[in-house]
Amino acid sequence: MHLTKNEEKILNGENGEVMKRLFRLLVRLGDIYGADKMIPVGSVQVAGVSYKSIGDPGMEFLEDMASKNAKVQVLTYLNPAGMDLEDWKKYGFPADFAKNQLRIMDAFRKMGIVVTATCTPYLAGNLPRFREHIAWSESSAVSFSNSVIGARTNREGGPSALAAAICGVTPNYGLHLWENRQPTIKVKVDVDLDFNSDFGSLGWYVGKQVKNKIPYFTGIKNANTDQLKALGAAMAASGAVALYHIEDLTPEADLAKSKGLESITVGKKELKSAYEKLNTGKKPDIVILGCPHASLREISVLAEKVKGKKLKKPVWICTSRMVKEAAERMGYNEIIAKAGGSVVADTCMVVSPIEQMGYKTTGVNSGKAANYLPGFCKQDVCYANIDDLVEGQL
Ligand code: F3S
């Protein structure tokens, strides 16, 4: 792999030990995947933030980096943490967990990372442009930025994203190259999609079928950005889809060559079977929406549904701190709180320790959350559209 004179110097330790170590990691990655050079990145999103996922070893590693004065060179955001960083007591997060989570956030802050913990950074002030090279980690954010925005990123691991943030570059391979962004399978959608959970079911079903291929969808007549994030998140969870194209809807679809590809069809039957497979529970003892993190529009929809009513069980909607603040100004948080629900920031149902908080069955409208909750949080899952989930609690 070609390195500039400056990069050679970094590798020789002229910019300090931390840079040397992290740059070496990027060079190794580049060598493994056949990169020709390093390319500058416009922004980074780092996963591995929740204390539940990284534990003491991760926390100590980050504190060590921060103490050695490691500093990021580009706009860097974080994936969700294990709790609401401000209101954790109110929602019943355990105090010892909170103490460690706050230590982790402190280490990130010292490195110059924006301590906004969200999987929808593009809704919270970190919006890449079309064809911008970025190094993001969280699978739904990777899918959205590649597919809906047309930015270019591989799915980075926690350490490689941190290295890209601190060195400002990433190796040029994989989805950074146009030739690797062409579709490899066609998906004909022959069913009407209404709710975000319909898109989640479609994504979950397709991810299972296509694994890590690049689907080219036809037959999706319309979809808003919330539905596209639901689709991509589910496909990345049940498969490993990091990029998809939709005829007439996503920015690179017109340039994609889909003729002659093998194809699969998804109809009513397949969508129904995905709903059935994702449903493992009977009655939820909590409903958690906002996977991926909710947009302002999704919070307004929930506020409208619960306005003036009383919920029987807790209902959370997870989002970023920025979107929560906008929702606060619009009065949505108050409406939801009066009904007995909560707008929870910085975390989500999968990376927070909900199993330690006494919940056993969680209601969700996200294919991704339904995919992970049984394994990560020992939850039974009630998978349904938002109307059924919320009406069941009124
Ligand atoms: Fe985001 Fe958590 Fe879902 S990180 S995509 S809300 S599992």
Side-chain angles (χ1 to χ4, degrees):
M1 157 174 200
H2 171 76
L3 295 181
T4 63
K5 284 216 170 79
N6 231 351
E7 288 167 349
E8 293 283 3
K9 282 186 187 164
I10 298 172
L11 208 53
N12 291 332
E14 289 186 31
N15 291 29
E17 267 311 297
V18 171
M19 279 280 264
K20 177 181 167 177
R21 216 164 99 200
L22 294 175
F23 200 78
R24 198 168 55 202
L25 188 150
L26 294 176
V27 171
R28 281 210 187 121
L29 257 183
D31 283 342
I32 292 169
Y33 290 105
D36 56 344
K37 59 179 179 183
M38 293 290 175
I39 43 172
V41 288
S43 70
V44 171
Q45 190 232 11
V46 174
V49 177
S50 170
Y51 178 68
K52 178 176 167 180
S53 336
I54 65 172
D56 288 336
M59 178 173 71
E60 282 154 19
F61 168 76
L62 293 168
E63 286 182 332
D64 181 51
M65 298 277 286
S67 74
K68 292 188 171 126
N69 233 358
K71 290 269 185 272
V72 298
Q73 295 195 34
V74 294
L75 180 69
T76 303
Y77 270 43
L78 294 173
N79 208 34
M83 61 182 200
D84 187 305
L85 296 169
E86 289 177 15
D87 293 327
W88 56 270
K89 266 191 203 144
K90 186 166 115 192
Y91 302 126
F93 287 93
D96 50 345
F97 183 92
K99 197 172 127 231
N100 290 327
Q101 185 64 66
L102 292 173
R103 272 175 63 180
I104 291 168
M105 302 318 279
D106 210 42
F108 280 128
R109 189 183 296 108
K110 283 189 185 133
M111 288 188 252
I113 295 176
V114 182
V115 279
T116 264
T118 182
C119 51
T120 56
Y122 46 86
L123 297 179
N126 184 357
L127 177 67
R129 66 160 170 77
F130 183 60
R131 291 194 179 150
E132 186 172 26
H133 294 284
I134 57 177
W136 286 18
S137 296
E138 195 281 316
S139 66
S140 80
V142 165
S143 165
F144 192 93
S145 57
N146 271 325
S147 315
V148 183
I149 300 170
R152 296 186 172 183
T153 180
N154 291 314
R155 186 179 170 190
E156 301 294 342
S160 67
L162 197 60
I166 287 169
C167 302
V169 294
T170 195
N172 190 31
Y173 72 94
L175 293 177
H176 290 287
L177 302 169
W178 169 239
E179 64 262 32
N180 298 329
R181 299 175 65 86
Q182 288 288 346
T184 52
I185 187 163
K186 211 164 168 173
V187 181
K188 295 180 187 163
V189 179
D190 188 19
V191 56
D192 287 337
L193 306 165
D194 296 319
F195 290 99
N196 294 6
S197 56
D198 295 343
F199 284 82
S201 290
L202 171 67
W204 188 82
Y205 178 83
V206 172
K208 283 250 173 245
Q209 305 297 314
V210 310
K211 313 270 185 318
N212 63 352
K213 290 191 176 147
I214 300 177
Y216 181 91
F217 286 93
T218 60
I220 298 181
K221 293 178 202 102
N222 205 357
N224 64 30
T225 44
D226 297 330
Q227 294 165 332
L228 294 177
K229 79 177 163 63
L231 173 71
M235 262 192 298
S238 65
V241 176
L243 165 66
Y244 62 89
H245 305 287
I246 306 180
E247 189 179 46
D248 294 334
L249 284 187
T250 58
E252 289 181 329
D254 289 353
L255 305 166
K257 296 187 193 88
S258 61
K259 269 202 188 124
L261 292 176
E262 68 164 304
S263 84
I264 58 168
T265 301
V266 184
K268 254 191 191 153
K269 191 175 107 218
E270 287 78 15
L271 205 70
K272 191 165 164 263
S273 86
Y275 267 97
E276 285 164 3
K277 289 205 176 101
L278 290 170
N279 251 303
T280 54
K282 291 211 173 75
K283 265 203 163 294
D285 36 43
I286 183 167
V287 169
I288 311 186
L289 309 169
C291 168
H293 269 177
S295 66
L296 195 57
R297 174 173 44 205
E298 289 173 300
I299 299 175
S300 78
V301 167
L302 177 64
E304 194 53 42
K305 288 190 193 305
V306 302
K307 195 172 185 175
K309 302 185 176 146
K310 275 281 165 232
L311 293 159
K312 286 189 223 127
K313 298 268 170 66
V315 174
W316 292 4
I317 184 161
C318 299
T319 190
S320 63
R321 179 70 47 194
M322 270 87 155
V323 170
K324 182 172 176 175
E325 276 167 13
E328 179 71 34
R329 290 191 178 181
M330 295 306 295
Y332 303 148
N333 300 357
E334 200 185 331
I335 294 171
I336 294 169
K338 274 195 179 146
S342 309
V343 179
V344 176
D346 313 312
T347 188
C348 80
M349 62 293 264
V350 172
V351 298
S352 65
I354 53 169
E355 67 281 21
Q356 281 180 41
M357 296 158 78
Y359 299 116
K360 294 203 162 53
T361 306
T362 302
V364 294
N365 67 342
S366 155
K368 173 170 177 174
N371 186 77
Y372 284 133
L373 279 168
F376 279 36
C377 305
K378 301 187 185 74
Q379 298 291 297
D380 286 330
V381 170
C382 296
Y383 183 69
N385 67 54
I386 184 170
D387 282 2
D388 292 347
L389 283 173
V390 174
E391 266 154 33
Q393 305 313 316
L394 292 172

